[in-house]
Amino acid sequence: EIGDSVYEDALRELSGRYVRYWEGGAAFREERSVLEAVRETAVLLLACELNGECLLDETGAEEGANGIPDLLDGIRSEVQWLLEMQDAQTGAVCGDPARGQEEEGESGGQSPDPVSSAAFAMTLARFSYLYQDYDTQFATECLKAADRAWVYVEQSGSAQADGWRFAAAAELYRASGRESFHDYVAGYLSEKDYQGRMDETMCWGCAAYLSTRQPVELSLCEEITRALMARADEAARAAQGSPFLARECGPDGDCGKLLEDGMYLSLVNHMVSSREYELVVENCLHYLLGRNRLSVSYPGEGEEDLKTAENETLKPPGRGSWGRAEDGSMIFLLSETLCWQREHGE
């Protein structure tokens, strides 16, 4: 069994990558879309919320050891960048800032995007909820920005933003307690066949609804729990059918389904505390760290991997599409397993 120190070392390396990305400022953000930034940030916020006590608060982040996980310190700088992507008047968010600047020559020419705006609303509301204990003023600013983005999305009437709107409404309800957000969430869960279409976006919205301290409909919570448990059971069955006891990454190096398995198993494990589920998550980590057909560590093993991961032609065989979003999911799984081991004395 992989020891606690190996998980800690991997978590320190991956967390350090994010700190270096964030410290890179505008240079590293030049080629990113808002949606890419939101996906990365959302899963890191989930790690901070569920496993904050197992994340690092050391040096590396500009603020250093300050009682706030380094990742949350760094996420604040990412959120500040996201705030710059919003039109303060309309609440709209541009989907691809880099492309907008190339085509129009200035930020004012960027096209607003309802999907990116809804994703922005979800992430800013979640950040506001988590950050209110550290900086109430900044958290309130983020919540207001999320609300402006929500108004823009509602007025746009875009059906493409459907799943993100649900997740945004769930986060905004948790953060603000406004009844209209609950009405949207309850209507979505009552009318949509979301169980068969559950993806990471809907999963984040469901997790927010289950964890809120605001009043909820018990029947909807029970339905969500059944849907999440069904996905966790599916992930466990897929792992049992593999010689590595984990769903294998694709031949092109795409590990998205495996990382998604880990997310569902971890979320459900917070409800039922199952050693069986935790073992599957650990086997996912074993696989990703090298116990696979190629004997390669998908997230890499140090500074050289950080450099080559940005260059498709230099990536080790099998690493394929691994990038910052996958690093974020890996951080979540590592923090989940570390917390489990410490809680249960393993």
Side-chain angles (χ1 to χ4, degrees):
E1 187 169 304
I2 294 181
D4 190 67
S5 64
V6 175
Y7 290 138
E8 286 184 342
D9 291 344
L11 181 61
R12 180 173 286 104
E13 169 60 31
L14 292 173
S15 299
R17 288 186 192 182
Y18 266 101
V19 169
R20 293 191 290 276
Y21 288 142
W22 286 318
E23 288 176 345
F28 106 83
R29 295 187 173 103
E30 285 179 354
E31 302 301 323
R32 303 172 78 219
S33 70
V34 167
L35 205 54
E36 288 172 331
V38 161
R39 287 183 183 277
E40 295 166 21
T41 304
V43 71
L44 291 173
L45 285 172
L46 191 63
C48 291
E49 179 175 0
L50 297 181
N51 308 311
E53 69 274 20
C54 297
L55 296 175
L56 304 174
D57 177 26
E58 302 178 332
T59 56
E62 183 179 340
E63 296 83 352
N66 57 1
I68 307 174
D70 289 347
L71 277 176
L72 198 53
D73 275 331
I75 289 170
R76 174 172 177 150
S77 71
E78 185 80 331
V79 166
Q80 288 173 322
W81 176 77
L82 285 170
L83 286 169
E84 295 173 7
M85 299 301 105
Q86 183 181 43
D87 185 311
Q89 298 299 317
T90 66
V93 175
C94 171
D96 193 339
R99 181 177 300 174
Q101 291 177 15
E102 290 173 4
E103 293 176 352
E104 301 292 341
E106 58 181 57
S107 61
Q110 300 166 16
S111 300
D113 174 35
V115 175
S116 296
S117 299
F120 171 99
M122 183 210 76
T123 300
L124 269 287
R126 175 179 290 180
F127 176 81
S128 171
Y129 180 80
L130 295 181
Y131 210 68
Q132 59 187 328
D133 292 335
Y134 305 111
D135 187 335
T136 304
Q137 183 175 349
F138 186 62
T140 301
E141 178 185 344
C142 291
L143 184 58
K144 289 179 178 178
D147 189 59
R148 288 196 298 271
W150 171 265
V151 171
Y152 163 74
V153 174
E154 284 289 272
Q155 292 174 345
S156 76
S158 172
Q160 291 181 319
D162 202 31
W164 284 109
R165 284 168 70 184
F166 161 68
E171 290 289 357
L172 282 162
Y173 178 59
R174 180 167 70 151
S176 71
R178 195 185 307 168
E179 190 65 26
S180 59
F181 292 128
H182 183 268
D183 291 343
Y184 186 93
V185 170
Y188 186 95
L189 294 175
S190 299
E191 297 175 8
K192 304 287 184 179
D193 179 25
Y194 68 91
Q195 296 96 329
R197 298 182 296 104
M198 180 77 74
D199 59 11
E200 63 176 1
T201 307
M202 284 185 278
C203 179
W204 291 332
C206 288
Y209 190 70
L210 288 177
S211 60
T212 184
R213 297 176 182 175
Q214 309 291 351
V216 296
E217 292 187 21
L218 182 58
S219 61
L220 293 179
C221 291
E222 292 173 345
E223 187 177 276
I224 290 172
T225 301
R226 287 194 295 270
L228 291 176
M229 291 188 72
R231 290 303 298 267
D233 287 341
E234 176 191 336
R237 288 194 299 271
Q240 290 173 355
S242 165
F244 302 102
L245 300 178
R247 189 192 300 267
E248 297 188 58
C249 296
D252 59 350
D254 183 0
C255 299
K257 189 63 177 176
L258 172 60
L259 291 166
E260 192 175 280
D261 284 353
M263 179 180 67
Y264 286 116
L265 287 160
S266 297
L267 286 175
V268 171
N269 210 27
H270 276 270
M271 305 177 202
V272 300
S273 191
S274 164
R275 178 56 178 153
E276 177 187 354
Y277 283 169
E278 177 54 31
L279 281 174
V280 179
V281 174
E282 287 191 45
N283 284 323
C284 290
L285 290 174
H286 289 212
Y287 180 92
L288 292 167
L289 290 171
R291 195 181 70 187
N292 52 63
R293 294 185 189 277
L294 298 174
S295 298
V296 356
S297 171
Y298 281 90
E301 297 175 346
E303 192 66 29
E304 282 306 308
D305 286 296
L306 175 64
K307 295 174 182 176
T308 60
E310 298 300 317
N311 188 327
E312 292 292 335
T313 63
L314 296 178
K315 283 187 179 181
R319 289 272 297 284
S321 58
W322 193 280
R324 283 188 291 268
E326 288 75 18
D327 277 350
S329 296
M330 189 75 173
I331 286 171
F332 173 59
L333 298 185
L334 285 164
S335 65
E336 182 71 23
T337 298
L338 277 170
C339 277
W340 171 277
Q341 291 185 341
R342 293 172 186 178
E343 181 181 347
H344 293 82
E346 296 182 8

